């Protein structure tokens, strides 16, 4: 048993990274995730590890590239405007197949609105927002404990697939306070990085290593793309989701992050009123649990997607059901007050459940 | 093909055998670089400087995006290249994780002081103990000779076809002087390769820059003026004269900062 502490989601990111043996963290301040860089600025130096505050998010993502290229566990975090600046770097990390972790605590957009929560970066995160054809693996926690655990899983999956992994949060998940048990999770053995990582010349045991996003020039471009596609395909074995009362559900809610917490409460209230609602919460947003959604559609379920945007994940659910089920949406316009400070409340979701069942 | 006749001489030329990937120089150099390009000389000077200082086993390098990045294949160090202008960021992370390493970047003028200006200023502000070698050919050579921050007033490029007009396009960026203003910098110099004397001086600059990093003193920086004959629409010989007559009056050569410790 590790220590139990009462802590917010952003700091749980830090504890999760320390539990995973993160060697480097690169910071650029941006709300609502400033507790993360502040945590690392405190904790990394006293462990003899690297903390650097960069000049911008283009800087942090460049530093992440450098650290990943020499094979250490490295991480950065940001919010939505910073995520935009990182896209070229994300494309480079994917192109060079470098393992690293990026935590994105989403806030309202487009552009710089204010600092409140939202879920508007789903598409750029799950599809890749930089140049070229690539995929980020994306994990979405919906509690403080799960945030801590998922950050560790992210490091493991990044190393396993040699690919960037994004932990997608929102301002509410970053600032919610809950109890946390800090503990190191063991996910099993990992492949060695010694056959590709960069070393000082005197540390080399084999020939010269080159890490470059332009690997296609060396191994044949189409073969390089085929290899990427195969890797992305193999990631489908990592699909994770949590079902809550979905076995007998007539209406399946689909939500992640804070909206999943809202939906859990809505399902409880609907069940109390005799309405057979359930919740499917994707933990991996990419790869997405299309098959599990298709299976529920084949059983005759309807779907209600609840997300705090104009509707992004809803497209994945529609792809999953392949036209065989009705898919409805509770989006950001359903917030209880019509401002950045509003949120989607369980009561509003229950109203929709009643309308649909 | 008689590779032996074309390859580097096997004499004990300092730097040449140990840190050069000789097959690359003999087989690919001619495909990669235009006639009269001086970028390969910068690679040679880097290899010689590192070899003479005896720090080759500690070295690792980062390339920018541009013609200079082809040196990645020619020097026998592990190497990476990321986004355009991001080399100082990448080198920062490497140096922080491996403080005993000799971490250096090779960047072009566009890479270093246009798209990568924020990365350069960031590294300078933090006083990263890395070495930056900036190859300045006064234009975007790889993309076909467009105007760069270093294009001199009146110089014709494909995006300043009437010549760089300071009223519209401003004045050249002087990187070595800019770098020297930062307190976290140990060394900043500008050299050229257009005469033998300058070639030797530039080698001394590059050697001193690496020496400062080996001593653990601040960021060291060398800007090297190089000829880009095809984009300048000149012969290699005319290019050398242009450097003497046009470039150097705007880009004075010499050391702008050289300290062995930073207070």
């Amino acid at each position: 048993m590790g220590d139990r502490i009462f802590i917010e989601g952003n700091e749980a990111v830090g504890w999760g990274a320390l539990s995973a043996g993160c060697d480097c963290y690169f910071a650029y301040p941006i709300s609502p995730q400033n507790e993360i860089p502040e945590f690392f600025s405190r904790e990394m130096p006293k462990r003899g590890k690297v903390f650097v505050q960069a000049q911008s998010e283009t800087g942090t993502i460049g530093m992440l590239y450098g650290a990943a290229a020499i094979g250490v566990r490295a991480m950065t975090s940001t919010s939505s405007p910073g995520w935009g600046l990182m896209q070229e770097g994300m494309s480079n990390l994917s192109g060079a197949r470098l393992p690293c972790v990026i935590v994105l605590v989403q806030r309202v957009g487009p552009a710089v609105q204010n600092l409140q929560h939202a879920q508007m970066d789903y598409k750029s995160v799950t599809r890749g927002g930089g140049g070229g054809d690539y995929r980020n693996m994306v994990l979405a926690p919906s509690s403080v404990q799960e945030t801590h655990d998922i950050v560790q899983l992210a490091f493991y999956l990044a190393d396993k697939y040699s690919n960037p992994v994004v932990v997608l949060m929102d301002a509410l998940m970053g600032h919610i306070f809950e109890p946390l048990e800090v503990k190191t999770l063991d996910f099993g053995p990992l492949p060695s990085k010694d056959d590709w990582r960069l070393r000082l010349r005197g540390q080399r045991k084999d020939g010269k290593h080159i890490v470059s996003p332009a690997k296609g020039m060396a191994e044949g471009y189409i073969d390089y793309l085929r290899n990427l596609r195969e890797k992305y395909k193999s990631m489908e074995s990592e699909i994770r989701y949590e079902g809550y009362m979905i076995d007998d559900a007539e209406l399946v809610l689909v939500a992640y992050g804070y909206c999943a917490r809202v939906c859990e409460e809505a399902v409880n209230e609907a069940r109390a009123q005799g309405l057979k609602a359930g919740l499917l919460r994707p933990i991996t947003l990419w790869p997405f649990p299309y098959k599990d959604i298709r299976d529920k559609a084949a059983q005759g379920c309807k779907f209600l997607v609840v997300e705090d945007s104009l509707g992004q994940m809803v497209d994945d659910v529609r792809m999953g059901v392949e036209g065989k089920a009705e898919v409805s949406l509770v989006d950001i316009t359903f917030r209880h007050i019509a401002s950045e400070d509003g949120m989607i409340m369980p009561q509003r979701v229950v109203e929709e459940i009643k309308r649909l069942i | 093909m008689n590779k032996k006749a074309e390859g580097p001489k096997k004499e004990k030329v300092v730097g040449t055998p140990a840190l050069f990937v000789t097959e690359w120089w003999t087989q690919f150099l001619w495909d990669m670089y235009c006639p009269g390009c001086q970028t390969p000389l910068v690679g040679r000077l880097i290899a010689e400087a590192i070899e003479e200082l005896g720090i080759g086993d500690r070295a690792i390098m980062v390339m920018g995006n541009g013609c200079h990045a082809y040196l990645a294949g020619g020097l026998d160090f592990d190497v990476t290249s990321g986004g355009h202008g991001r080399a100082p960021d990448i080198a920062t992370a490497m140096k922080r994780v491996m403080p005993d390493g000799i971490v250096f970047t090779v960047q072009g003028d566009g890479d270093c002081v246009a798209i990568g200006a924020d990365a350069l200023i960031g590294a300078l502000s933090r006083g990263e103990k890395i070495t930056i070698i900036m190859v300045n050919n006064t234009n975007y050579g790889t993309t076909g000779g467009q105007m760069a921050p270093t294009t001199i007033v009146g110089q014709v490029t494909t995006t300043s076809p009437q010549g760089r007009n300071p009223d519209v396009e401003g004045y050249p960026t002087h990187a070595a002087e800019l770098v020297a203003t930062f307190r976290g910098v140990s060394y900043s110099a500008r050299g050229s390769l257009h005469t033998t004397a300058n070639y030797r001086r530039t080698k001394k600059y590059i050697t001193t820059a690496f020496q400062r990093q080996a001593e653990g003193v601040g960021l060291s920086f060398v800007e090297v003026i190089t000829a880009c004959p095809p984009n300048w629409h000149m012969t290699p010989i005319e290019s050398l004269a242009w450097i003497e007559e046009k470039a150097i009056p705007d880009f004075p050569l010499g050391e702008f900062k050289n300290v062995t410790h930073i207070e």
Side-chain angles (χ1 to χ4, degrees):
Chain A
M1 273 293 271
D3 296 334
R4 269 174 88 79
I5 46 181
F6 190 62
I7 204 165
E8 66 166 9
N10 281 340
E11 291 218 340
V13 168
W15 286 111
L18 291 183
S19 296
C22 176
D23 299 294
C24 304
Y25 173 84
F26 304 107
Y28 188 76
I30 182 169
S31 301
Q33 59 86 57
N34 291 314
E35 295 80 7
I36 304 177
E38 286 167 4
F39 175 91
F40 282 107
S41 71
R42 236 174 22 238
E43 300 296 331
M44 293 301 251
K46 63 190 180 194
R47 289 169 170 78
K49 296 188 169 186
V50 173
F51 170 88
V52 186
Q53 181 165 329
Q55 70 280 359
S56 67
E57 287 88 351
T58 56
T60 55
I61 205 76
M63 290 175 189
L64 194 63
Y65 184 100
I70 54 176
V72 297
R73 280 194 159 178
M75 175 177 149
T76 187
S77 60
T78 190
S79 185
S80 305
W83 172 248
L85 285 173
M86 287 182 176
Q87 292 317 302
E88 186 208 27
M90 290 302 299
S91 175
N92 282 321
L93 287 161
S94 282
R97 297 173 291 209
L98 290 177
C100 56
V101 174
I102 302 96
V103 175
L104 170 55
V105 185
Q106 300 170 91
R107 74 187 212 196
V108 282
V112 176
Q113 303 292 337
N114 75 0
L115 313 178
Q116 302 294 340
H117 58 277
Q119 297 181 317
M120 295 180 161
D121 301 318
Y122 178 93
K123 283 227 165 142
S124 73
V125 170
T126 56
R127 264 55 186 173
D133 201 349
Y134 67 94
R135 290 288 186 276
N136 311 308
M137 190 174 252
V138 187
L139 306 173
S142 75
S143 74
V144 168
Q145 183 69 51
E146 193 183 28
T147 298
H148 165 272
D149 296 353
I150 266 186
V151 167
Q152 293 185 64
L153 176 64
F155 276 104
Y156 170 79
L157 293 174
D159 284 348
K160 183 174 176 182
Y161 292 97
S162 231
N163 205 69
V165 177
V166 180
V167 176
L168 187 65
M169 300 169 61
D170 53 63
L172 281 179
M173 291 319 305
H175 287 145
I176 191 172
F177 273 77
E178 287 177 330
L180 168 69
E181 183 187 345
V182 177
K183 59 183 178 190
T184 297
L185 304 175
D186 182 8
F187 299 99
L190 282 168
S192 165
K193 298 178 180 177
D194 286 344
D195 58 340
W196 60 264
R197 72 179 183 91
L198 302 183
R199 308 131 306 167
L200 304 180
R201 192 167 179 275
Q203 299 169 340
R204 304 193 319 202
K205 294 190 177 61
D206 54 359
K208 171 176 168 143
H209 288 177
I210 299 176
V211 166
S212 166
K215 275 280 195 180
M217 288 166 79
E219 66 191 70
Y221 180 62
I222 298 300
D223 284 342
Y224 162 75
L225 287 184
R226 280 201 186 100
N227 290 338
L228 276 184
R229 185 170 65 186
E230 272 170 35
K231 181 172 85 169
Y232 297 147
K233 185 82 186 152
S234 71
M235 287 177 182
E236 287 175 12
S237 64
E238 305 295 343
I239 289 172
R240 288 164 167 80
Y241 67 93
E242 189 182 66
Y244 181 64
M245 297 194 180
I246 53 172
D247 289 346
D248 65 339
E250 292 167 20
L251 178 71
V252 175
L253 279 59
V254 186
Y256 71 98
Y258 103 80
C259 284
R261 300 288 289 268
V262 169
C263 286
E264 218 175 287
E265 205 172 315
V267 167
N268 289 341
E269 204 168 314
R271 289 277 173 172
Q273 296 179 29
L275 298 168
K276 287 188 174 173
L279 168 65
L280 189 151
R281 177 173 73 87
I283 296 169
T284 53
L285 297 182
W286 199 90
F288 192 77
Y290 292 114
K291 185 183 170 297
D292 308 278
I293 284 174
R294 190 160 57 242
D295 290 348
K296 293 308 289 180
Q299 291 168 23
C301 294
K302 294 184 200 173
F303 290 83
L304 175 62
V305 177
V306 180
E307 59 176 324
D308 208 5
S309 68
L310 285 173
Q312 299 189 8
M313 186 173 69
V314 66
D315 289 347
D316 273 334
V317 176
R318 287 194 184 112
M319 275 204 278
V321 304
E322 292 179 340
K324 296 191 173 69
E326 189 186 324
V327 179
S328 304
L329 174 65
V330 166
D331 64 19
I332 195 166
T333 62
F334 286 66
R335 283 182 170 199
H336 77 301
I337 47 174
S339 78
E340 297 95 326
D341 309 304
M343 61 179 280
I344 298 170
M345 294 300 222
Q347 294 76 5
R348 198 74 182 81
V349 178
V350 172
E351 283 170 30
E352 282 303 295
I353 294 172
K354 281 185 189 163
R355 194 176 68 78
L356 290 165
I357 294 184
Chain B
M1 196 171 95
N2 187 351
K3 282 182 193 166
K4 204 173 181 181
E6 289 185 330
K9 290 175 184 168
K10 295 290 179 190
E11 293 161 20
K12 294 281 177 205
V13 181
V14 176
T16 304
L19 298 178
F20 274 29
V21 180
T22 49
E23 307 78 41
W24 185 88
W25 289 95
T26 51
Q27 290 176 27
F28 298 112
L29 177 66
W30 320 115
D31 299 335
M32 297 292 192
Y33 288 108
C34 305
C37 176
Q38 294 182 309
T39 304
L41 297 177
V42 177
R44 183 190 175 97
L45 290 182
I46 290 169
E48 287 183 3
I50 289 177
E51 179 110 340
E52 283 179 31
L53 292 167
I55 53 175
D57 275 357
R58 292 159 59 193
I60 189 167
M61 62 183 177
V62 184
M63 294 291 157
N65 291 183
C67 299
H68 57 276
Y70 299 135
L71 293 175
L75 299 178
D76 191 19
F77 306 114
D78 280 8
V79 61
T80 188
S81 174
H84 199 359
R86 308 268 64 88
D89 299 329
I90 296 168
T92 292
M94 291 179 167
K95 184 70 179 186
R96 295 292 187 107
V97 177
M98 304 187 295
D100 294 334
I102 300 294
V103 183
F104 68 96
T105 73
V106 183
Q107 302 176 253
D109 43 308
D111 194 84
C112 196
V113 290
I115 195 168
D118 68 319
L120 175 67
I121 301 291
L124 290 166
S125 304
R126 297 186 302 269
E128 298 293 345
K129 296 176 181 64
I130 59 174
T131 300
I132 295 174
I133 309 294
M134 179 180 123
V135 184
N136 178 1
N137 61 10
T138 75
N139 74 124
Y140 284 87
T142 318
T143 45
Q146 293 81 13
M147 184 177 60
T150 47
T151 297
I152 66 171
V153 172
Q155 187 178 345
V156 172
T157 71
T158 59
T159 52
S160 58
Q162 277 80 46
R164 182 172 187 166
N165 174 359
D167 284 344
V168 183
E169 285 132 358
Y171 298 90
T173 298
H174 294 99
E177 290 89 331
L178 170 75
V179 167
T181 63
F182 282 79
R183 194 164 168 185
V185 168
S186 61
Y187 188 79
S188 183
R190 181 185 295 114
S192 81
L193 307 170
H194 73 294
T195 66
T196 311
N198 278 295
Y199 179 90
R200 291 201 181 112
R201 250 176 249 133
T202 299
K203 180 178 169 185
K204 195 192 100 199
Y205 298 157
I206 291 176
T207 308
T208 311
F210 279 107
Q211 190 178 341
R212 291 290 171 272
Q213 183 178 168
E215 293 161 354
V217 190
L219 188 149
S220 52
F221 182 93
V222 181
E223 173 180 344
V224 185
I225 308 282
T226 59
C228 188
N231 287 317
W232 293 356
H233 302 283
M234 294 175 197
T235 66
I237 301 293
E238 287 166 354
S239 299
L240 301 184
W242 188 85
I243 289 175
E244 175 75 33
E245 291 159 18
K246 300 284 187 185
I248 289 176
D250 207 310
F251 290 108
L253 307 180
E255 293 176 330
F256 299 95
K257 187 172 184 186
N258 184 5
V259 297
T260 53
H261 69 283
I262 295 167
E263 288 174 9

